Amino acid sequence: MLFLFAILIVCFCGCKERNNNDSAYTQHEIETLHLENTKLMPIVSDSIVTVDLNPFLGNKMFDFGNLVKNVSIVPLETTDKSLISNIYKIIVSENHIYVFDDFKGGGVAIFSRSGTFVKRLSHGGGPGEITMLHDIAYDRNTRRLLVYQHPFLLFYTSTGDYIEQVKLPFGFYNFIVLPTGYLFKTLDGYGNEHLRDKKNFTVLVTNKDFALECVGLPTVHMEANYGGYSYLYENEGCIGITNNNNDTIFHYNDSLHRLDAIYVMDYKDKKAPMNYWNLQGRDFSMKVSQNDYYYYIGEYLETTSCQAFFLRNDYRRMRTVVYRNKNTGKLVGGSEAHFNPREIPAIAFPTGTYKDYFVSVHYPNRSDSLLLNSSKLTLKDKKMMLKLKEDDNPVLVLFQIEMP
């Protein structure tokens, strides 16, 4: 994903009447949570797997080109209305592609699966219009697009027609749609004081009416609260949950309402000291840029057969990606991907997933002409690539990884 570093400040606005605790929510809104019935999710670590990333640290080149198979190109149509800014998140469905970018402080552009521009959600203060967004999600059962604009969830059809908005009685950062409700990821308890003893949990699960059913994963306070734009990763029913500077990756078990600690990353040879995270954001940035350490901001991707783990190193000005075969445990990765530019574009650091495919973003450039004789691209895809100009919208590249 194209993650932007930022100090994450969640500002919760006051509204309507306030209760005695000076909450931003009315007493009635708080009562709809049914806090008395909320349960604590257990964390199970019986089957946790340690992923040793130490051999892949440093200036490591890896043979990425030979891992790639089944490459598919999706150019996002370029029009005056469809121009894409810095991308925060990409959701690929059976029929559409949803791009959450930083257009006007946070916007959503909708394309067909073939890349044809459909619609950009309108900005403004009217019904169905958006201003500043925190996250988007897609409900694959109802085929609805959901947009989070604190304190509201806005619902749209798959093609971007406005349906309704619902005010939520708590704040959060990311969310995904569950078969029977929603899963929300917070960063800390700030703004959610009305949740009482539940306020310091970062995973909230509700039913479809947003009554709080269970909570889990306690907050770990850090002054340097850096991160990407998502800590939730959903693909084919598999829900991954990550945390800033927490080397454990969790799966949410929807049927049992529990958190399974599945993977823990080991990079102890070069891990940034814990006390760095007690520094203010600017001091943290200075420390990690002046010392040869790696740190984790929650970037992680998982297909049905493979995973991708990401680390940051500001001293070396690099990211490291390590792919893992989920069946064999085989690891391949590094900071520099070797590939033949006559076969595939630069796609080694993907931004999303779709079923068994990783999704990367490629920006058209002159070297795309080298792909004319590629054995991994279809003739149709090669022709599309040759038509693109450098100022066109980015291209999505869907690819599979084949590892021994």
Side-chain angles (χ1 to χ4, degrees):
M1 272 174 214
L2 284 180
F3 288 96
L4 302 179
F5 287 108
I7 298 179
L8 304 174
I9 304 176
V10 181
C11 298
F12 296 113
C13 303
C15 62
K16 299 181 182 178
E17 58 188 290
R18 297 175 180 269
N19 65 8
N20 293 332
N21 294 322
D22 196 30
S23 170
Y25 307 98
T26 67
Q27 188 61 40
H28 173 71
E29 289 168 339
I30 295 173
E31 289 173 355
T32 65
L33 290 168
H34 297 287
L35 294 175
E36 67 279 3
N37 297 325
T38 303
K39 298 179 180 179
L40 177 62
M41 277 184 282
I43 296 178
V44 178
S45 56
D46 295 345
S47 58
I48 195 166
V49 173
T50 299
V51 182
D52 185 4
L53 303 182
N54 292 290
F56 307 100
L57 305 182
N59 297 317
K60 302 287 186 179
M61 178 178 287
F62 67 103
D63 188 2
F64 174 73
N66 286 333
L67 301 178
V68 175
K69 67 172 185 176
N70 296 337
V71 182
S72 177
I73 303 294
V74 185
L76 301 180
E77 182 182 6
T78 305
T79 71
D80 290 341
K81 294 183 179 181
S82 72
L83 293 176
I84 299 297
S85 188
N86 292 321
I87 296 175
Y88 296 156
K89 186 175 184 177
I90 295 170
I91 297 176
V92 179
S93 73
E94 292 290 343
N95 299 309
H96 294 93
I97 296 167
Y98 303 96
V99 179
F100 172 26
D101 65 357
D102 69 357
F103 178 75
K104 292 187 177 181
V108 179
I110 304 173
F111 299 84
S112 71
R113 278 290 273 109
S114 62
T116 302
F117 177 61
V118 175
K119 187 175 187 177
R120 181 177 275 282
L121 299 188
S122 299
H123 280 70
E129 295 181 329
I130 58 178
T131 50
M132 294 185 64
L133 306 184
H134 291 279
D135 198 15
I136 67 172
Y138 183 71
D139 187 336
R140 299 183 188 275
N141 291 324
T142 64
R143 297 185 179 180
R144 289 183 174 185
L145 171 67
L146 284 71
V147 169
Y148 175 42
Q149 178 175 283
H150 182 76
F152 298 100
L153 273 189
L154 282 70
F155 294 76
Y156 301 83
T157 67
S158 60
T159 54
D161 295 329
Y162 175 64
I163 301 173
E164 64 175 340
Q165 73 174 18
V166 178
K167 184 186 176 187
L168 299 189
F170 51 83
F172 56 95
Y173 189 60
N174 300 127
F175 75 108
I176 58 173
V177 182
L178 301 173
T180 59
Y182 304 89
L183 188 151
F184 301 92
K185 180 71 174 68
T186 73
L187 296 177
D188 51 42
Y190 179 75
N192 281 337
E193 289 80 4
H194 61 290
L195 299 185
R196 301 197 290 269
D197 60 329
K198 315 298 190 306
K199 69 178 182 179
N200 289 322
F201 290 93
T202 63
V203 176
L204 314 176
V205 176
T206 74
N207 61 19
K208 289 296 185 182
D209 294 323
F210 304 107
L212 200 57
E213 294 187 334
C214 52
V215 298
L217 210 57
T219 297
V220 177
H221 178 74
M222 293 176 289
E223 290 294 333
N225 203 357
Y226 280 82
Y229 279 88
S230 184
Y231 297 96
L232 297 178
Y233 304 91
E234 189 276 331
N235 189 12
E236 293 295 286
C238 180
I239 300 169
I241 303 174
T242 63
N243 260 345
N244 230 339
N245 193 38
N246 185 329
D247 300 326
T248 302
I249 295 165
F250 301 88
H251 281 175
Y252 171 65
N253 188 318
D254 188 31
S255 61
L256 298 177
H257 287 310
R258 77 182 191 197
L259 295 172
D260 294 328
I262 302 297
Y263 307 104
V264 60
M265 295 175 291
D266 175 9
Y267 50 105
K268 59 181 179 293
D269 291 351
K270 284 288 186 177
K271 183 176 180 178
M274 182 64 72
N275 60 9
Y276 278 23
W277 293 88
N278 294 323
L279 301 172
Q280 294 290 334
R282 183 176 298 178
D283 294 332
F284 174 86
S285 296
M286 183 176 297
K287 276 287 188 181
V288 293
S289 65
Q290 295 177 350
N291 295 276
D292 189 11
Y293 288 121
Y294 290 79
Y295 63 99
Y296 181 62
I297 65 170
E299 294 175 281
Y300 170 76
L301 293 172
E302 184 171 352
T303 69
T304 53
S305 64
C306 188
Q307 296 136 323
F309 303 87
F310 300 85
L311 295 177
R312 300 265 180 174
N313 187 311
D314 292 358
Y315 176 82
R316 295 175 179 265
R317 298 181 180 179
M318 65 169 55
R319 291 169 72 203
T320 292
V321 59
V322 177
Y323 290 95
R324 179 181 182 273
N325 184 310
K326 292 166 69 173
N327 293 320
T328 67
K330 174 73 174 180
L331 299 172
V332 177
S335 59
E336 186 174 349
H338 174 73
F339 64 95
N340 185 347
R342 297 180 182 274
E343 290 291 328
I344 57 173
I347 55 174
F349 290 80
T351 63
T353 58
Y354 174 67
K355 297 185 177 181
D356 202 36
Y357 289 83
F358 287 103
V359 181
S360 279
V361 176
H362 172 71
Y363 291 86
N365 59 71
R366 296 177 182 178
S367 64
D368 290 343
S369 60
L370 297 174
L371 297 169
L372 181 60
N373 297 313
S374 170
S375 63
K376 296 196 175 187
L377 300 183
T378 65
L379 179 60
K380 179 182 177 181
D381 284 349
K382 286 185 281 190
K383 288 182 177 179
M384 285 193 297
M385 293 289 286
L386 291 176
K387 292 179 181 179
L388 298 175
K389 303 185 294 294
E390 290 190 38
D391 57 352
D392 281 342
N393 265 340
V395 173
L396 298 192
V397 184
L398 282 71
F399 65 94
Q400 289 180 301
I401 290 290
E402 187 175 60
M403 299 173 61

